[in-house]
Amino acid sequence: MPVEITWWGHATCTVQDSDVRVLTDPLFARRLAHLRRRRGAVPPPAACRADVALVSHLHADHLHVPSLARLAPGTRLLVPRGAPQAVPGLRRLTHLQVAEVAPGDETVIGDVVVRTVPARHDGRRLPLGPHRSPALGYVVEGEARTYFAGDTGLFDEMAKEVGPVDVALLPVGGWGPYLGEGHLDAGRAAEALARLEPVSAVPVHYGTYWPIGMDAVRPHEFHAPGEEFVRLSAERAPGVAVHLLEHGQRVRPKVAR
């Protein structure tokens, strides 16, 4: 079966390839601290089903322990090296097969290889503290090569480190009115697309969560990044097919193979 991508909201996607279900940065909460889900229903129980779940970095909207706890017993979970030390809640998830990974590592699940690649993002759980883990991206290699960027800024070696890919799942926004260093907005994501040159792309990490009480603060930063990414990608990477998904929608993107 061709690769199939489902976007559940924020950075949470299911990548189905070669009969393997890969879940990215599971976040199934209606509310997370000061954030509430403003668009898209909370993913259904079927979204929790995966052969392997990937965590890109330690921030709570990407490593959400209550969401990980909903995964079925025996699910494999790849986390940045050092994550269990930094996030004690991970050590309580004894029903999962947790493995710590770093850039360059490869993990085999059925007929799929998950390759861990670098990202440029603050990998700490908290702004202060001794525990650090690298922020990561992943390339899922089966019938297609699908790049999940996690959270990252642009970096000079991006195309070299990621390698040739068929599909790119790229963050194009955030959860607040301003994006700090180490993030892609719609313009920088379009530039990443031009560097990576995949066949297809899906914008993620926008239009799902927003701070409570800030609905009127720069609302275009919530609503606009997906469409802006489509527009800018047509200018900077016109050969890439960009799929703008609604929450819960799936697509079978074109691939090179």
Side-chain angles (χ1 to χ4, degrees):
M1 186 181 79
V3 64
E4 185 175 83
I5 311 294
T6 305
W7 181 49
W8 300 111
H10 203 54
T12 306
C13 299
T14 294
V15 179
Q16 185 152 348
D17 190 332
S18 305
D19 294 322
V20 175
R21 287 175 63 90
V22 181
L23 183 64
T24 67
D25 285 350
L27 182 57
F28 303 132
R30 190 176 304 279
R31 178 172 174 175
L32 173 63
H34 63 299
L35 306 178
R36 66 181 174 93
R37 192 176 182 107
R38 287 193 56 210
R39 185 184 290 170
V42 174
C48 301
R49 185 168 61 87
D51 298 293
V52 60
L54 313 178
V55 169
S56 63
H57 62 287
L58 304 192
H59 292 169
D61 58 321
H62 293 259
L63 195 169
H64 187 243
V65 173
S67 294
L68 296 175
R70 294 174 58 182
L71 301 180
T75 302
R76 299 176 73 171
L77 176 64
L78 306 187
V79 300
R81 187 168 294 167
Q85 183 180 14
V87 186
L90 271 176
R91 301 197 291 269
R92 295 194 292 271
L93 301 179
T94 56
H95 66 297
L96 305 179
Q97 299 182 40
V98 181
E100 300 177 49
V101 294
D105 289 348
E106 293 187 348
T107 306
V108 178
I109 304 99
D111 292 330
V112 162
V113 175
V114 177
R115 183 165 51 86
T116 307
V117 299
R120 294 295 183 271
H121 189 69
D122 182 3
R124 296 173 294 179
R125 182 68 165 182
L126 298 171
L128 300 174
H131 300 305
R132 292 177 176 268
S133 292
L136 305 173
Y138 296 93
V139 179
V140 179
E141 300 184 352
E143 293 186 26
R145 296 161 297 189
T146 302
Y147 170 46
F148 169 63
D151 250 352
T152 188
L154 282 171
F155 54 100
D156 291 341
E157 308 84 8
M158 177 178 272
K160 179 181 177 181
E161 295 283 4
V162 172
V165 293
D166 300 295
V167 185
L169 310 179
L170 294 180
V172 301
W175 52 253
Y178 302 100
L179 281 175
E181 186 179 353
H183 292 86
L184 297 179
D185 60 11
R188 292 191 289 269
E191 173 60 27
L193 210 59
R195 298 183 187 187
L196 295 168
E197 298 182 319
V199 179
S200 304
V202 176
V204 302
H205 203 275
Y206 78 100
T208 307
Y209 292 92
W210 202 247
I212 294 170
M214 297 187 71
D215 290 10
V217 180
R218 296 174 64 86
H220 63 283
E221 297 290 354
F222 178 83
H223 294 284
E227 293 181 354
E228 184 74 356
F229 175 70
V230 172
R231 183 182 69 81
L232 293 173
S233 296
E235 297 175 0
R236 302 180 192 178
V240 180
V242 178
H243 301 276
L244 187 66
L245 301 183
E246 299 292 336
H247 292 75
Q249 188 176 4
R250 65 190 62 185
V251 65
R252 292 183 177 178
K254 294 195 300 182
V255 301
R257 301 178 184 181

